[in-house]
Amino acid sequence: RSKVKSTRMSGEMDMGQVINITQKTKDNSMMSLEMSMGGMVMMKQVFDGKAGMVSQMGQQMPMGEDEIAQMKKQSDLLYEAKLDDYGTTAELKGIGTFDDKAAYVVEMTEKDGSLSTVYFSVETGLKVYETSTESTPQGDMTIATTYKEYMDVKGVKFPNVISQTVGPQSFVITYKDIQVNPKLKNSDFS
């Protein structure tokens, strides 16, 4: 059983303009994500473990089934240790390289059949890279995520820098403050 009951991560996302980002998780089942610029909230997602809402530019939209399934995984810090709970299978494809270092290459297949390839450092066991393809109305889009500069917070390692490329767009999230087991209210997620 996890000793991590909640997290609060604050940082900046650089997409040409700096966007403040705050992500909270609680009980491995709830999550909120807020993006703001100049003190104004641009986008907020909340997920209470069963239902979720996305607020953007004054519009609120309930999450659909696929978004809820994704949020359940994202809110669970132990997702990769509990793949069976989510109907996900993993197959070790071998040892490859990422960033000139040896990495275990693992192919993950979701319940819906979607695939992702995840690289874990042979030296540390930490996730360093992930790639997947999503179908969109504009066609298939590749998503590539790099996890770097892990920091230890109360015995738990978190990536301090996450770089992501989604189709033609790229951005970098740098976390300035990561808290383990902060006091969070259930109302933060509804």
Side-chain angles (χ1 to χ4, degrees):
R1 198 159 151 81
S2 174
K3 293 181 181 183
V4 178
K5 303 296 179 202
S6 61
T7 61
R8 183 179 192 280
M9 302 169 65
S10 302
E12 296 176 344
M13 180 168 53
D14 188 353
M15 295 181 70
Q17 294 184 337
V18 175
I19 297 169
N20 295 313
I21 185 167
T22 302
Q23 180 176 322
K24 301 174 190 174
T25 63
K26 185 176 178 193
D27 297 334
N28 282 327
S29 63
M30 295 183 248
M31 184 172 149
S32 74
L33 175 67
E34 184 175 287
M35 294 183 192
S36 61
M37 189 166 57
M40 291 185 55
V41 175
M42 299 168 39
M43 191 276 294
K44 185 172 184 176
Q45 289 181 331
V46 291
F47 178 68
D48 66 7
K50 294 184 178 119
M53 183 73 65
V54 179
S55 304
Q56 196 166 3
M57 300 168 88
Q59 301 288 322
Q60 287 194 334
M61 296 174 293
M63 290 182 182
E65 245 179 74
D66 291 343
E67 291 170 300
I68 287 171
Q70 198 63 26
M71 290 300 284
K72 284 181 179 180
K73 289 183 256 186
Q74 288 178 7
S75 65
D76 192 344
L77 293 174
L78 300 174
Y79 164 69
E80 279 138 349
K82 303 187 312 191
L83 295 177
D84 287 346
D85 293 357
Y86 295 97
T88 303
T89 59
E91 180 182 346
L92 178 63
K93 294 305 226 178
I95 294 178
T97 57
F98 178 76
D99 205 17
D100 294 324
K101 294 185 177 127
Y104 296 109
V105 181
V106 179
E107 188 174 86
M108 301 227 195
T109 306
E110 301 292 333
K111 192 170 18 180
D112 67 3
S114 60
L115 297 173
S116 62
T117 304
V118 185
Y119 292 70
F120 295 91
S121 166
V122 168
E123 183 183 330
T124 65
L126 299 171
K127 185 187 330 185
V128 292
Y129 182 71
E130 181 173 4
T131 184
S132 62
T133 303
E134 276 191 23
S135 296
T136 71
Q138 294 80 27
D140 286 350
M141 192 174 300
T142 300
I143 301 167
T145 308
T146 303
Y147 304 89
K148 301 189 261 191
E149 298 179 30
Y150 276 82
M151 60 191 284
D152 187 288
V153 182
K154 294 187 178 179
V156 181
K157 296 203 182 286
F158 292 88
N160 196 42
V161 177
I162 299 173
S163 305
Q164 192 167 64
T165 302
V166 181
Q169 283 191 316
S170 293
F171 57 89
V172 176
I173 298 171
T174 304
Y175 289 105
K176 307 284 186 191
D177 182 46
I178 299 176
Q179 300 171 20
V180 171
N181 294 329
K183 292 197 183 300
L184 300 176
K185 299 178 269 182
N186 286 351
S187 60
D188 291 342
F189 306 94
S190 57

